[in-house]
Amino acid sequence: MNIDWGSVLYQQEEASINDLKIIVEELDQAEKEETEELEKKLETKLKDLILPNEHLAYHYMSTINQKLSDNFREAWQKQNLEVNLEEVIEKWELTKYVKDNFICPEVNISTLPSYSFVLKFMFKLKKPYISLDENDFYIIDNPLRKDKVLNLPFVAPSSWKGSLRNSLWQLNYDYENDKIRRIFGNERSPNSEDIVLRMGRLYFFPTFFSKKSLEIINPRNRESRVGTVPILMESVPQDTTGYFTLIYVPFDLIGCEENEIKKQVACDIQLISKGLKSMFTYYGFGAKTSSGYGTSYEDITDGTITLRVKGIEVSLKDIDEVKPPAEGYSKYLNEDGSVKEEFKGSGKYGLLSDKEYYKIKNQLEGSRNEYRDFRQWYGLNGEKWQKHLNSFKYPKPEWPTWNFGNFFQLIEVSKNIATSLELSGAHNEC
């Protein structure tokens, strides 16, 4: 089918490719005054040919004219240095569908066994993410792995599993460790007939990204210290966000004693949290992690752990430490915790700068020093305070949910959950 599809595309674009070949040949023989016009004509033709299939066009060109294929790849490179795929999704009117089903899927934990939990958060890349695609027929040698439907770069569930397992191995939890086996399962091997195979308790969701770019690596000659041939690698650029979601299901503990279940879940949730922190902030995920690729910032957004268990209360301290506004700050805030319009400006945190405040100070309540203190409080606590106020608008969740805003808080939350399970009858051995 791929051959038939390629044949049809070739027939559609054959005339355009032949025109390009003629232009390149004319460029080789053109005078200086004619070169500029021909180059503009060539650039326009190349851009038109990048769609519908730049990879097919490139490989065909490389068989008939090397200079033509080099020019074509250069034009493709300029267009792909930074690509925002959200614009394409919006054009297709699929924004909500993609977000609900691909980017941030909802999980109904009520359908899972007791003591299952869902852990999810949004992270931001500190270093670009690189992966290896299975597609060999590509315009460059190092494409990103993308899904087949929307062509979005993604981290596959198997990749998440391998990266997390590797991070825990780096923390001295080898593959034969009983805790690692029950979380990840054991691997098939040539001698697996003699081993009781078991499935792991972790299930990962894929993470999709809406941006892609190109990394250019230029290896240098050791003697001359001059770059040789630049290597192009597709990547997800720094500061791109992605949603991470995993489900923990202790299916193999169904029917066991309650205290034993709580003990193992308490241990596993702390181990998983420790591994996630190491993977995201230090060891990385994807390809070329030893060179620093595939790590994220310490701070994360919308981090939650929801545990399917009854009888455990989540205190406000467990969720997040929110410093309420001082009594005098009410003049600056709306009822929902947002800043009143007259105090918004171009200063820090989107508020009035000192100069802007000074110009209209006679129209405002409060002193300049009080406003400065408020601005500092709002920068540190404003977003948390708004979330705290909004939490009262919604009904209490069916299952206890803990929130966290960075990986250190994730570690603390996992300890709090383990302590809660211990107080309800389990002995924590981790």
Side-chain angles (χ1 to χ4, degrees):
M1 183 175 176
N2 285 336
I3 296 174
D4 294 338
W5 177 63
S7 176
V8 170
L9 285 176
Y10 165 68
Q11 290 174 14
Q12 291 174 347
E13 305 299 337
E14 182 180 13
S16 299
I17 293 173
N18 288 333
D19 289 343
L20 283 170
K21 184 180 177 183
I22 293 170
I23 294 172
V24 170
E25 290 172 353
E26 289 177 353
L27 264 173
D28 290 337
Q29 302 173 1
E31 301 292 336
K32 283 187 177 181
E33 55 271 13
E34 299 174 338
T35 302
E36 186 176 348
E37 185 179 345
L38 284 170
E39 285 178 346
K40 287 182 179 179
K41 189 177 178 181
L42 177 63
E43 185 177 355
T44 303
K45 287 274 188 182
L46 287 170
K47 286 181 179 178
D48 292 340
L49 196 59
I50 285 179
L51 292 175
N53 191 287
E54 63 269 31
H55 315 298
L56 175 69
Y58 170 76
H59 283 284
Y60 174 70
M61 288 178 193
S62 63
T63 64
I64 60 173
N65 190 306
Q66 187 61 46
K67 188 173 182 180
L68 176 59
S69 64
D70 290 343
N71 286 330
F72 182 75
R73 188 162 76 165
E74 186 177 339
W76 176 86
Q77 180 181 336
K78 288 178 181 178
Q79 286 197 10
N80 284 268
L81 283 175
E82 190 168 342
V83 180
N84 188 350
L85 298 168
E86 288 180 359
E87 297 172 359
V88 179
I89 295 170
E90 287 176 6
K91 185 178 178 181
W92 292 345
E93 298 181 353
L94 290 172
T95 303
K96 187 177 185 306
Y97 176 81
V98 170
K99 182 179 179 182
D100 294 344
N101 295 278
F102 289 83
I103 305 295
C104 189
E106 289 296 324
V107 180
N108 183 6
I109 197 172
S110 299
T111 62
L112 302 177
S114 296
Y115 297 99
S116 299
F117 65 79
V118 177
L119 189 156
K120 58 183 179 179
F121 54 83
M122 183 175 75
F123 63 91
K124 182 184 284 188
L125 289 173
K126 187 176 182 179
K127 295 290 185 180
Y129 166 72
I130 294 173
S131 63
L132 298 178
D133 194 15
E134 300 165 354
N135 181 12
D136 295 326
F137 194 67
Y138 206 76
I139 194 169
I140 60 174
D141 295 331
N142 302 284
L144 269 172
R145 188 173 186 183
K146 307 178 193 70
D147 81 287
K148 306 300 182 185
V149 179
L150 298 173
N151 208 33
L152 290 174
F154 77 109
V155 185
S158 56
S159 181
W160 279 131
K161 183 178 179 180
S163 297
L164 181 57
R165 190 199 294 242
N166 177 66
S167 295
L168 288 169
W169 179 80
Q170 298 281 4
L171 297 175
N172 296 321
Y173 292 93
D174 62 60
Y175 298 158
E176 299 303 316
N177 187 296
D178 289 339
K179 297 171 187 175
I180 296 298
R181 271 197 210 167
R182 73 187 185 207
I183 292 174
F184 294 99
N186 49 14
E187 297 179 342
R188 293 182 179 275
S189 66
N191 300 321
S192 58
E193 295 178 0
D194 304 326
I195 302 173
V196 178
L197 295 175
R198 60 173 293 163
M199 186 167 56
R201 297 174 183 174
L202 284 186
Y203 298 84
F204 295 85
F205 281 61
T207 296
F208 293 88
F209 299 105
S210 58
K211 294 180 182 178
K212 66 175 183 176
S213 64
L214 289 174
E215 293 289 308
I216 302 175
I217 300 174
N218 195 3
R220 297 183 179 183
N221 184 294
R222 290 188 177 181
E223 295 180 0
S224 64
R225 297 187 178 277
V226 176
T228 52
V229 181
I231 299 172
L232 296 177
M233 305 186 76
E234 260 189 332
S235 67
V236 177
Q238 180 181 347
D239 292 332
T240 302
T241 57
Y243 283 89
F244 174 84
T245 305
L246 69 77
I247 303 176
Y248 171 90
V249 183
F251 63 91
D252 52 336
L253 294 178
I254 296 174
C256 295
E257 289 185 8
E258 194 80 2
N259 282 351
E260 179 63 22
I261 298 174
K262 292 177 180 178
K263 181 177 71 176
Q264 290 196 24
V265 172
C267 185
D268 290 350
I269 198 169
Q270 292 181 85
L271 187 61
I272 292 165
S273 299
K274 189 190 299 184
L276 288 174
K277 180 181 182 299
S278 298
M279 177 181 72
F280 275 95
T281 62
Y282 189 76
Y283 294 112
F285 51 93
K288 299 188 75 66
T289 53
S290 59
S291 299
Y293 288 93
T295 57
S296 76
Y297 292 104
E298 186 72 42
D299 290 336
I300 50 186
T301 307
D302 299 331
T304 61
I305 299 179
T306 303
L307 179 64
R308 191 188 187 286
V309 65
K310 295 288 187 181
I312 293 181
E313 294 293 329
V314 182
S315 67
L316 185 61
K317 185 178 178 182
D318 287 336
I319 296 176
D320 208 346
E321 294 184 6
V322 182
K323 183 181 178 182
E327 188 175 344
Y329 293 172
S330 58
K331 66 175 74 71
Y332 306 110
L333 298 169
N334 296 311
E335 290 184 2
D336 64 354
S338 61
V339 176
K340 290 182 178 179
E341 199 64 33
E342 57 265 33
F343 294 101
K344 293 181 180 179
S346 60
K348 288 177 68 175
Y349 315 121
L351 304 181
L352 293 173
S353 64
D354 288 344
K355 287 184 178 180
E356 291 170 336
Y357 182 86
Y358 185 77
K359 287 180 182 179
I360 58 173
K361 65 176 182 176
N362 295 329
Q363 306 170 30
L364 304 173
E365 298 180 54
S367 66
R368 187 175 180 179
N369 287 337
E370 183 189 61
Y371 171 73
R372 284 179 171 174
D373 291 341
F374 162 75
R375 187 172 58 193
Q376 187 65 23
W377 171 87
Y378 184 79
L380 297 173
N381 302 281
E383 186 177 348
K384 295 177 184 177
W385 181 246
Q386 288 181 58
K387 287 183 178 179
H388 169 66
L389 293 177
N390 287 333
S391 66
F392 295 106
K393 295 180 181 179
Y394 304 103
K396 187 178 179 181
E398 182 181 2
W399 308 107
T401 299
W402 291 260
N403 295 353
F404 53 92
N406 56 54
F407 287 105
F408 285 107
Q409 289 182 10
L410 170 60
I411 300 295
E412 290 304 311
V413 163
S414 67
K415 290 179 181 177
N416 291 340
I417 295 173
T419 301
S420 298
L421 290 170
E422 181 181 352
L423 292 173
S424 63
H427 176 64
N428 183 12
E429 294 183 349
C430 287

